[in-house]
């Protein structure tokens, strides 16, 4: 009887873990607080399962070491901050959440059915983000007065959508990820209906991406499309060309936005602001090369380095370095920045190794 009850409890924990995985995957792009609640409940069910099921043990993952290194360095950096309490709280809200997500998913995501269910949840979540974006296009507030736009160099771009992501650049990065996942599904799908569905999804994501006016994300989409088209599927190059021509025709402001990347002469442009920010950030890094100024403390530590910004931007509140890797280096040091780069590069290396191994087996 005790064995039967134990099995029932293990099965119940498995169900709750699967529900938590799906819930976090769905809500993380829509309602992060709900995703955090799902993560906490899932971890609680996972701990109970570990106590009940001796066969269910920890496993090592390829990113365990760089993730652990990043976690330790970023945590240590909080004690280098001028406000340790603020940095610790910010660390637990960000690093704590995402590292816990990595561990929870990495240890519990083990079957193909789980991957399928989470993939469905991710794309349903993307659908909600798309619907919110469409709502903003037709009924949203004009964001021309917000600091996302540089009206001098892009006077026709009056509304940058941001959907559930609070900032257009964050939405743009999310859409790039959605496009990459859709390309991967099309590449492996044998069902023509699925290929058509995700082709339409790519077109939708690309249109919304153009309306974020995020130059780096749009350039990333272009590079990915060209590389994938040349290496795997020439038809995708044609699709990319059609999408690009259509978007540029209906949104001429995007051309001005992209060309503004080459505008280095105007000291009031966002390009000039970023160049000054990066120079100031490099000085900050040179002063704090080991543990940085403290996790999340960039905005408060920036004031002594503000002398490089021109007068027109001197009153602008600087929240970050406008460059993720420089921001990491400034807040947690050069070693911390290298650890996060390791986390980014390692999956790419693994993917190329798997592709090489598959080609070798086939040959």
């Amino acid at each position: 009887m005790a064995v039967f009850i134990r099995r029932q409890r293990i099965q119940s924990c498995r169900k709750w873990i699967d529900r938590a995985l799906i819930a976090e995957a769905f809500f993380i792009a829509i309602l992060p607080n709900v995703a955090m609640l799902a993560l906490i409940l899932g971890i609680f069910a996972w701990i109970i399962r570990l106590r009940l099921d001796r066969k269910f043990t920890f496993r090592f993952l390829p990113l365990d070491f760089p993730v652990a290194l990043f976690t330790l360095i970023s945590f240590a950096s909080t004690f280098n901050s001028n406000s340790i309490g603020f940095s610790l709280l910010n660390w637990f809200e960000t690093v704590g959440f995402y590292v816990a997500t990595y561990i929870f998913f990495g240890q519990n995501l083990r079957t193909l059915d789980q991957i399928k269910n989470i993939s469905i949840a991710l794309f349903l979540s993307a659908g909600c983000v798309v619907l919110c974006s469409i709502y903003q296009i037709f009924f949203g507030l004009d964001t021309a007065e917000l600091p996302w736009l540089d009206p001098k160099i892009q006077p026709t771009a009056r509304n940058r959508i941001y959907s559930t992501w609070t900032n257009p650049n964050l939405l743009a990065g999310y859409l790039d990820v959605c496009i990459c996942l859709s390309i991967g599904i099309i590449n492996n799908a044998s069902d023509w209906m699925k290929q058509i569905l995700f082709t339409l999804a790519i077109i939708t994501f690309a249109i919304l991406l153009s309306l974020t006016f995020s130059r780096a994300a749009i350039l990333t989409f272009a590079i990915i499309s060209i590389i994938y088209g040349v290496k795997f599927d020439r038809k995708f190059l044609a699709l990319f060309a059609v999408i690009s021509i259509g978007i540029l025709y209906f949104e001429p402001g995007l051309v001005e936005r992209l060309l503004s990347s080459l505008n280095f002469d105007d000291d009031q442009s966002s390009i000039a602001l970023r160049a000054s920010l990066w120079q100031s950030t490099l000085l900050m890094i040179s002063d704090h090369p080991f543990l940085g100024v403290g996790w999340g403390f960039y905005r408060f530590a920036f004031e002594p380095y503000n002398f490089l910004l021109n007068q027109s931007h001197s009153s602008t509140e600087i929240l970050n370095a406008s460059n993720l890797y420089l921001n990491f280096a400034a807040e947690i040091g050069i070693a911390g920045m290298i650890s996060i780069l390791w986390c980014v590069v390692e999956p790419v290396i693994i993917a190329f190794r798997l592709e090489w191994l598959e080609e070798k087996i086939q040959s």
Side-chain angles (χ1 to χ4, degrees), residues 69-129:
L69 184 64
F70 167 73
T71 304
L72 290 173
I73 293 176
S74 60
F75 181 74
S77 75
T78 62
F79 297 96
N80 205 39
S81 169
N82 289 337
S83 178
I84 296 176
F86 170 83
S87 291
L88 275 175
L89 179 62
N90 190 279
W91 186 90
F92 278 108
E93 288 180 347
T94 52
V95 178
F97 172 71
Y98 286 107
V99 170
T101 296
Y102 166 78
I103 295 172
F104 179 58
F105 273 72
Q107 295 299 322
N108 291 282
L109 191 59
R110 303 194 179 193
T111 67
L112 184 60
D113 286 338
Q114 286 178 310
I115 294 175
K116 288 181 179 179
N117 291 333
I118 289 175
S119 298
I120 293 172
L122 287 172
F123 277 101
L124 288 176
S125 176
C128 295
V129 173

Side-chain angles (χ1 to χ4, degrees), residues 30-206:
I30 305 173
L31 297 170
N33 289 335
V34 177
M36 184 177 294
L37 178 61
L39 174 64
I40 294 172
L41 295 175
I43 290 176
F44 182 71
W46 175 41
I47 293 173
I48 295 175
R49 183 181 179 182
L50 286 173
R51 292 176 60 87
L52 295 174
D53 190 355
R54 296 178 180 177
K55 296 181 180 180
F56 191 78
T57 58
F58 284 92
R59 60 177 181 171
F60 292 101
L61 301 172
L63 293 181
D64 282 350
F65 184 77
V67 168
L69 184 64
F70 167 73
T71 304
L72 290 173
I73 293 176
S74 60
F75 181 74
S77 75
T78 62
F79 297 96
N80 205 39
S81 169
N82 289 337
S83 178
I84 296 176
F86 170 83
S87 291
L88 275 175
L89 179 62
N90 190 279
W91 186 90
F92 278 108
E93 288 180 347
T94 52
V95 178
F97 172 71
Y98 286 107
V99 170
T101 296
Y102 166 78
I103 295 172
F104 179 58
F105 273 72
Q107 295 299 322
N108 291 282
L109 191 59
R110 303 194 179 193
T111 67
L112 184 60
D113 286 338
Q114 286 178 310
I115 294 175
K116 288 181 179 179
N117 291 333
I118 289 175
S119 298
I120 293 172
L122 287 172
F123 277 101
L124 288 176
S125 176
C128 295
V129 173
V130 167
L131 291 176
C132 184
S133 300
I134 294 173
Y135 176 83
Q136 285 185 342
I137 292 171
F138 292 101
F139 305 104
L141 297 175
D142 184 12
T143 59
E145 300 301 322
L146 296 176
W148 303 332
L149 292 176
D150 191 340
K152 183 174 181 179
I153 59 176
Q154 48 185 96
T156 61
R158 307 312 299 168
N159 193 357
R160 294 182 66 182
I161 60 172
Y162 54 92
S163 190
T164 60
W165 283 94
T166 71
N167 186 291
N169 294 321
L170 296 179
L171 173 62
Y174 173 78
L175 291 172
D176 272 341
V177 173
C178 291
I179 290 171
C180 291
L181 291 175
S182 300
I183 292 173
I185 291 175
I186 291 174
N187 188 47
N188 293 280
S190 56
D191 184 358
W192 64 271
M193 284 293 294
K194 186 178 292 186
Q195 292 180 347
I196 293 176
L197 175 64
F198 282 95
T199 299
L200 294 175
I202 289 175
I203 295 173
T204 303
F205 293 144

Side-chain angles (χ1 to χ4, degrees), residues 169 216 270 273-279 281-282 285 298 318-331 337 340-341:
N169 294 321
S270 60
L273 171 62
R274 282 182 171 86
S276 298
L277 268 178
W278 296 338
Q279 292 180 57
T281 304
L282 288 173
I285 295 169
Y298 180 94
I318 305 300
L319 302 179
N320 54 68
S322 290
N323 181 290
L324 185 63
Y325 301 108
L326 286 178
N327 205 88
F328 276 126
E331 290 191 347
M337 186 266 290
I340 197 66
L341 272 175

